PDB file of all heavy atoms in Angstrom:
ATOM      1  N   ARG A1484     -52.263 135.713 116.054  1.00 78.00           N
ATOM      2  CA  ARG A1484     -51.695 136.172 114.782  1.00 78.00           C
ATOM      3  C   ARG A1484     -51.400 134.958 113.924  1.00 78.00           C
ATOM      4  O   ARG A1484     -51.077 133.886 114.429  1.00 78.00           O
ATOM      5  CB  ARG A1484     -50.447 137.024 114.990  1.00 78.00           C
ATOM      6  CG  ARG A1484     -49.381 136.373 115.806  1.00 78.00           C
ATOM      7  CD  ARG A1484     -48.325 137.382 116.260  1.00 78.00           C
ATOM      8  NE  ARG A1484     -47.624 136.815 117.384  1.00 78.00           N
ATOM      9  CZ  ARG A1484     -46.356 136.498 117.379  1.00 78.00           C
ATOM     10  NH1 ARG A1484     -45.625 136.702 116.323  1.00 78.00           N
ATOM     11  NH2 ARG A1484     -45.792 135.981 118.443  1.00 78.00           N
ATOM     12  N   ILE A1485     -51.543 135.116 112.639  1.00 77.00           N
ATOM     13  CA  ILE A1485     -51.323 134.029 111.691  1.00 77.00           C
ATOM     14  C   ILE A1485     -50.011 134.297 110.965  1.00 77.00           C
ATOM     15  O   ILE A1485     -49.838 135.335 110.331  1.00 77.00           O
ATOM     16  CB  ILE A1485     -52.475 133.936 110.669  1.00 77.00           C
ATOM     17  CG1 ILE A1485     -53.814 133.795 111.374  1.00 77.00           C
ATOM     18  CG2 ILE A1485     -52.239 132.792 109.699  1.00 77.00           C
ATOM     19  CD1 ILE A1485     -53.961 132.581 112.246  1.00 77.00           C
ATOM     20  N   GLU A1486     -49.104 133.354 111.094  1.00 79.00           N
ATOM     21  CA  GLU A1486     -47.818 133.431 110.406  1.00 79.00           C
ATOM     22  C   GLU A1486     -47.563 132.083 109.767  1.00 79.00           C
ATOM     23  O   GLU A1486     -47.591 131.053 110.448  1.00 79.00           O
ATOM     24  CB  GLU A1486     -46.698 133.762 111.392  1.00 79.00           C
ATOM     25  CG  GLU A1486     -46.815 135.137 112.015  1.00 79.00           C
ATOM     26  CD  GLU A1486     -45.744 135.394 113.061  1.00 79.00           C
ATOM     27  OE1 GLU A1486     -44.907 134.513 113.301  1.00 79.00           O
ATOM     28  OE2 GLU A1486     -45.762 136.492 113.637  1.00 79.00           O
ATOM     29  N   ALA A1487     -47.348 132.077 108.470  1.00 81.00           N
ATOM     30  CA  ALA A1487     -47.143 130.827 107.752  1.00 81.00           C
ATOM     31  C   ALA A1487     -45.978 130.037 108.337  1.00 81.00           C
ATOM     32  O   ALA A1487     -44.979 130.602 108.770  1.00 81.00           O
ATOM     33  CB  ALA A1487     -46.889 131.126 106.277  1.00 81.00           C
ATOM     34  N   GLY A1488     -46.150 128.727 108.377  1.00 82.00           N
ATOM     35  CA  GLY A1488     -45.086 127.845 108.836  1.00 82.00           C
ATOM     36  C   GLY A1488     -45.565 126.889 109.914  1.00 82.00           C
ATOM     37  O   GLY A1488     -46.734 126.848 110.274  1.00 82.00           O
ATOM     38  N   ARG A1489     -44.640 126.102 110.424  1.00 84.00           N
ATOM     39  CA  ARG A1489     -44.927 125.124 111.472  1.00 84.00           C
ATOM     40  C   ARG A1489     -44.706 125.777 112.832  1.00 84.00           C
ATOM     41  O   ARG A1489     -43.681 126.413 113.066  1.00 84.00           O
ATOM     42  CB  ARG A1489     -44.016 123.917 111.316  1.00 84.00           C
ATOM     43  CG  ARG A1489     -44.257 122.859 112.373  1.00 84.00           C
ATOM     44  CD  ARG A1489     -43.722 121.538 111.979  1.00 84.00           C
ATOM     45  NE  ARG A1489     -44.613 121.028 110.942  1.00 84.00           N
ATOM     46  CZ  ARG A1489     -44.430 119.887 110.309  1.00 84.00           C
ATOM     47  NH1 ARG A1489     -43.396 119.142 110.602  1.00 84.00           N
ATOM     48  NH2 ARG A1489     -45.278 119.485 109.384  1.00 84.00           N
ATOM     49  N   HIS A1490     -45.684 125.626 113.720  1.00 85.00           N
ATOM     50  CA  HIS A1490     -45.625 126.224 115.045  1.00 85.00           C
ATOM     51  C   HIS A1490     -45.781 125.132 116.108  1.00 85.00           C
ATOM     52  O   HIS A1490     -46.642 124.261 115.979  1.00 85.00           O
ATOM     53  CB  HIS A1490     -46.730 127.270 115.223  1.00 85.00           C
ATOM     54  CG  HIS A1490     -46.633 128.376 114.219  1.00 85.00           C
ATOM     55  ND1 HIS A1490     -45.809 129.460 114.399  1.00 85.00           N
ATOM     56  CD2 HIS A1490     -47.221 128.539 113.012  1.00 85.00           C
ATOM     57  CE1 HIS A1490     -45.912 130.256 113.354  1.00 85.00           C
ATOM     58  NE2 HIS A1490     -46.763 129.705 112.494  1.00 85.00           N
ATOM     59  N   THR A1491     -44.973 125.202 117.144  1.00 87.00           N
ATOM     60  CA  THR A1491     -45.061 124.263 118.251  1.00 87.00           C
ATOM     61  C   THR A1491     -46.031 124.805 119.293  1.00 87.00           C
ATOM     62  O   THR A1491     -45.962 125.969 119.667  1.00 87.00           O
ATOM     63  CB  THR A1491     -43.670 124.048 118.893  1.00 87.00           C
ATOM     64  OG1 THR A1491     -42.792 123.523 117.886  1.00 87.00           O
ATOM     65  CG2 THR A1491     -43.746 123.079 120.046  1.00 87.00           C
ATOM     66  N   VAL A1492     -46.947 123.948 119.733  1.00 90.00           N
ATOM     67  CA  VAL A1492     -47.891 124.295 120.791  1.00 90.00           C
ATOM     68  C   VAL A1492     -47.485 123.485 122.021  1.00 90.00           C
ATOM     69  O   VAL A1492     -47.301 122.272 121.943  1.00 90.00           O
ATOM     70  CB  VAL A1492     -49.340 123.977 120.394  1.00 90.00           C
ATOM     71  CG1 VAL A1492     -50.294 124.259 121.546  1.00 90.00           C
ATOM     72  CG2 VAL A1492     -49.732 124.774 119.160  1.00 90.00           C
ATOM     73  N   VAL A1493     -47.320 124.177 123.149  1.00 90.00           N
ATOM     74  CA  VAL A1493     -46.910 123.534 124.398  1.00 90.00           C
ATOM     75  C   VAL A1493     -48.060 123.607 125.390  1.00 90.00           C
ATOM     76  O   VAL A1493     -48.604 124.685 125.640  1.00 90.00           O
ATOM     77  CB  VAL A1493     -45.657 124.216 124.997  1.00 90.00           C
ATOM     78  CG1 VAL A1493     -45.281 123.580 126.335  1.00 90.00           C
ATOM     79  CG2 VAL A1493     -44.500 124.158 124.019  1.00 90.00           C
ATOM     80  N   ALA A1494     -48.443 122.460 125.942  1.00 91.00           N
ATOM     81  CA  ALA A1494     -49.455 122.395 127.003  1.00 91.00           C
ATOM     82  C   ALA A1494     -48.705 122.141 128.308  1.00 91.00           C
ATOM     83  O   ALA A1494     -48.018 121.131 128.451  1.00 91.00           O
ATOM     84  CB  ALA A1494     -50.451 121.284 126.725  1.00 91.00           C
ATOM     85  N   ASP A1495     -48.818 123.064 129.244  1.00 92.00           N
ATOM     86  CA  ASP A1495     -48.131 122.943 130.531  1.00 92.00           C
ATOM     87  C   ASP A1495     -49.183 122.690 131.606  1.00 92.00           C
ATOM     88  O   ASP A1495     -50.048 123.527 131.852  1.00 92.00           O
ATOM     89  CB  ASP A1495     -47.360 124.224 130.825  1.00 92.00           C
ATOM     90  CG  ASP A1495     -46.408 124.070 131.994  1.00 92.00           C
ATOM     91  OD1 ASP A1495     -46.492 123.059 132.718  1.00 92.00           O
ATOM     92  OD2 ASP A1495     -45.578 124.970 132.174  1.00 92.00           O
ATOM     93  N   CYS A1496     -49.099 121.509 132.249  1.00 91.00           N
ATOM     94  CA  CYS A1496     -50.098 121.120 133.238  1.00 91.00           C
ATOM     95  C   CYS A1496     -49.466 120.295 134.362  1.00 91.00           C
ATOM     96  O   CYS A1496     -50.040 119.335 134.839  1.00 91.00           O
ATOM     97  CB  CYS A1496     -51.207 120.308 132.578  1.00 91.00           C
ATOM     98  SG  CYS A1496     -50.609 118.812 131.764  1.00 91.00           S
ATOM     99  N   GLY A1497     -48.287 120.667 134.751  1.00 85.00           N
ATOM    100  CA  GLY A1497     -47.533 119.855 135.701  1.00 85.00           C
ATOM    101  C   GLY A1497     -46.505 119.022 134.949  1.00 85.00           C
ATOM    102  O   GLY A1497     -45.440 118.715 135.451  1.00 85.00           O
ATOM    103  N   VAL A1498     -46.836 118.670 133.716  1.00 88.00           N
ATOM    104  CA  VAL A1498     -45.907 118.097 132.744  1.00 88.00           C
ATOM    105  C   VAL A1498     -46.029 118.955 131.497  1.00 88.00           C
ATOM    106  O   VAL A1498     -46.978 119.725 131.352  1.00 88.00           O
ATOM    107  CB  VAL A1498     -46.241 116.608 132.419  1.00 88.00           C
ATOM    108  CG1 VAL A1498     -46.073 115.743 133.631  1.00 88.00           C
ATOM    109  CG2 VAL A1498     -47.626 116.455 131.841  1.00 88.00           C
ATOM    110  N   ARG A1499     -45.049 118.841 130.596  1.00 89.00           N
ATOM    111  CA  ARG A1499     -45.098 119.629 129.355  1.00 89.00           C
ATOM    112  C   ARG A1499     -45.358 118.687 128.188  1.00 89.00           C
ATOM    113  O   ARG A1499     -44.589 117.779 127.936  1.00 89.00           O
ATOM    114  CB  ARG A1499     -43.795 120.387 129.158  1.00 89.00           C
ATOM    115  CG  ARG A1499     -43.631 121.541 130.136  1.00 89.00           C
ATOM    116  CD  ARG A1499     -42.277 122.236 130.026  1.00 89.00           C
ATOM    117  NE  ARG A1499     -41.996 122.777 128.720  1.00 89.00           N
ATOM    118  CZ  ARG A1499     -42.259 124.032 128.348  1.00 89.00           C
ATOM    119  NH1 ARG A1499     -42.822 124.853 129.205  1.00 89.00           N
ATOM    120  NH2 ARG A1499     -41.953 124.458 127.155  1.00 89.00           N
ATOM    121  N   LEU A1500     -46.470 118.948 127.493  1.00 88.00           N
ATOM    122  CA  LEU A1500     -46.838 118.189 126.309  1.00 88.00           C
ATOM    123  C   LEU A1500     -46.684 119.107 125.108  1.00 88.00           C
ATOM    124  O   LEU A1500     -47.017 120.288 125.179  1.00 88.00           O
ATOM    125  CB  LEU A1500     -48.293 117.711 126.423  1.00 88.00           C
ATOM    126  CG  LEU A1500     -48.650 116.964 127.707  1.00 88.00           C
ATOM    127  CD1 LEU A1500     -50.160 116.758 127.803  1.00 88.00           C
ATOM    128  CD2 LEU A1500     -47.931 115.626 127.759  1.00 88.00           C
ATOM    129  N   THR A1501     -46.182 118.581 123.999  1.00 88.00           N
ATOM    130  CA  THR A1501     -45.982 119.415 122.811  1.00 88.00           C
ATOM    131  C   THR A1501     -46.634 118.796 121.583  1.00 88.00           C
ATOM    132  O   THR A1501     -46.795 117.584 121.487  1.00 88.00           O
ATOM    133  CB  THR A1501     -44.481 119.644 122.512  1.00 88.00           C
ATOM    134  OG1 THR A1501     -43.865 118.387 122.258  1.00 88.00           O
ATOM    135  CG2 THR A1501     -43.789 120.333 123.661  1.00 88.00           C
ATOM    136  N   GLY A1502     -47.001 119.653 120.665  1.00 87.00           N
ATOM    137  CA  GLY A1502     -47.540 119.252 119.367  1.00 87.00           C
ATOM    138  C   GLY A1502     -47.224 120.347 118.371  1.00 87.00           C
ATOM    139  O   GLY A1502     -46.749 121.417 118.747  1.00 87.00           O
ATOM    140  N   THR A1503     -47.468 120.088 117.106  1.00 86.00           N
ATOM    141  CA  THR A1503     -47.181 121.094 116.082  1.00 86.00           C
ATOM    142  C   THR A1503     -48.428 121.399 115.266  1.00 86.00           C
ATOM    143  O   THR A1503     -49.321 120.565 115.122  1.00 86.00           O
ATOM    144  CB  THR A1503     -46.062 120.642 115.121  1.00 86.00           C
ATOM    145  OG1 THR A1503     -46.443 119.417 114.506  1.00 86.00           O
ATOM    146  CG2 THR A1503     -44.753 120.476 115.851  1.00 86.00           C
ATOM    147  N   VAL A1504     -48.467 122.617 114.738  1.00 83.00           N
ATOM    148  CA  VAL A1504     -49.551 123.089 113.875  1.00 83.00           C
ATOM    149  C   VAL A1504     -48.910 123.758 112.672  1.00 83.00           C
ATOM    150  O   VAL A1504     -47.995 124.565 112.814  1.00 83.00           O
ATOM    151  CB  VAL A1504     -50.436 124.117 114.621  1.00 83.00           C
ATOM    152  CG1 VAL A1504     -51.476 124.702 113.690  1.00 83.00           C
ATOM    153  CG2 VAL A1504     -51.091 123.488 115.826  1.00 83.00           C
ATOM    154  N   ASP A1505     -49.389 123.418 111.481  1.00 82.00           N
ATOM    155  CA  ASP A1505     -48.933 124.084 110.271  1.00 82.00           C
ATOM    156  C   ASP A1505     -49.950 125.150 109.891  1.00 82.00           C
ATOM    157  O   ASP A1505     -51.140 124.857 109.745  1.00 82.00           O
ATOM    158  CB  ASP A1505     -48.787 123.096 109.118  1.00 82.00           C
ATOM    159  CG  ASP A1505     -47.631 122.137 109.315  1.00 82.00           C
ATOM    160  OD1 ASP A1505     -46.597 122.551 109.862  1.00 82.00           O
ATOM    161  OD2 ASP A1505     -47.767 120.975 108.917  1.00 82.00           O
ATOM    162  N   GLN A1506     -49.489 126.386 109.760  1.00 78.00           N
ATOM    163  CA  GLN A1506     -50.355 127.479 109.322  1.00 78.00           C
ATOM    164  C   GLN A1506     -50.003 127.833 107.890  1.00 78.00           C
ATOM    165  O   GLN A1506     -48.836 127.990 107.548  1.00 78.00           O
ATOM    166  CB  GLN A1506     -50.175 128.708 110.209  1.00 78.00           C
ATOM    167  CG  GLN A1506     -50.704 128.533 111.598  1.00 78.00           C
ATOM    168  CD  GLN A1506     -50.578 129.814 112.407  1.00 78.00           C
ATOM    169  OE1 GLN A1506     -50.105 130.838 111.933  1.00 78.00           O
ATOM    170  NE2 GLN A1506     -50.997 129.750 113.651  1.00 78.00           N
ATOM    171  N   VAL A1507     -51.033 127.961 107.065  1.00 75.00           N
ATOM    172  CA  VAL A1507     -50.852 128.322 105.662  1.00 75.00           C
ATOM    173  C   VAL A1507     -51.625 129.604 105.414  1.00 75.00           C
ATOM    174  O   VAL A1507     -52.784 129.720 105.794  1.00 75.00           O
ATOM    175  CB  VAL A1507     -51.379 127.202 104.740  1.00 75.00           C
ATOM    176  CG1 VAL A1507     -51.241 127.590 103.285  1.00 75.00           C
ATOM    177  CG2 VAL A1507     -50.652 125.893 105.027  1.00 75.00           C
ATOM    178  N   VAL A1508     -50.975 130.568 104.793  1.00 70.00           N
ATOM    179  CA  VAL A1508     -51.610 131.850 104.494  1.00 70.00           C
ATOM    180  C   VAL A1508     -51.869 131.904 102.997  1.00 70.00           C
ATOM    181  O   VAL A1508     -50.982 131.656 102.190  1.00 70.00           O
ATOM    182  CB  VAL A1508     -50.706 133.028 104.924  1.00 70.00           C
ATOM    183  CG1 VAL A1508     -51.354 134.352 104.569  1.00 70.00           C
ATOM    184  CG2 VAL A1508     -50.405 132.938 106.402  1.00 70.00           C
ATOM    185  N   THR A1509     -53.115 132.213 102.622  1.00 67.00           N
ATOM    186  CA  THR A1509     -53.458 132.364 101.212  1.00 67.00           C
ATOM    187  C   THR A1509     -53.961 133.783 100.991  1.00 67.00           C
ATOM    188  O   THR A1509     -54.375 134.452 101.922  1.00 67.00           O
ATOM    189  CB  THR A1509     -54.550 131.369 100.788  1.00 67.00           C
ATOM    190  OG1 THR A1509     -55.726 131.622 101.546  1.00 67.00           O
ATOM    191  CG2 THR A1509     -54.103 129.937 101.004  1.00 67.00           C
ATOM    192  N   SER A1510     -53.894 134.219  99.759  1.00 62.00           N
ATOM    193  CA  SER A1510     -54.393 135.559  99.461  1.00 62.00           C
ATOM    194  C   SER A1510     -55.059 135.556  98.102  1.00 62.00           C
ATOM    195  O   SER A1510     -54.847 134.673  97.285  1.00 62.00           O
ATOM    196  CB  SER A1510     -53.252 136.579  99.486  1.00 62.00           C
ATOM    197  OG  SER A1510     -52.334 136.286  98.454  1.00 62.00           O
ATOM    198  N   SER A1511     -55.860 136.566  97.880  1.00 57.00           N
ATOM    199  CA  SER A1511     -56.535 136.747  96.603  1.00 57.00           C
ATOM    200  C   SER A1511     -56.472 138.227  96.259  1.00 57.00           C
ATOM    201  O   SER A1511     -56.704 139.074  97.107  1.00 57.00           O
ATOM    202  CB  SER A1511     -57.993 136.296  96.717  1.00 57.00           C
ATOM    203  OG  SER A1511     -58.660 136.595  95.521  1.00 57.00           O
TER     204      SER A1511
END
């Protein structure tokens, strides 16, 4: 699902790694 804003992505593989993704929603 696409929701505007900054989202944290967590990679769990014995350790937890995190990163962020900015989603932008446009319309016409």
Side-chain angles (χ1 to χ4, degrees):
R1484 55 194 160 115
I1485 305 300
E1486 295 176 0
R1489 180 161 287 177
H1490 301 276
T1491 300
V1492 176
V1493 177
D1495 192 348
C1496 59
V1498 296
R1499 288 175 58 93
L1500 308 170
T1501 61
T1503 58
V1504 175
D1505 290 324
Q1506 291 184 1
V1507 178
V1508 178
T1509 61
S1510 64
S1511 174

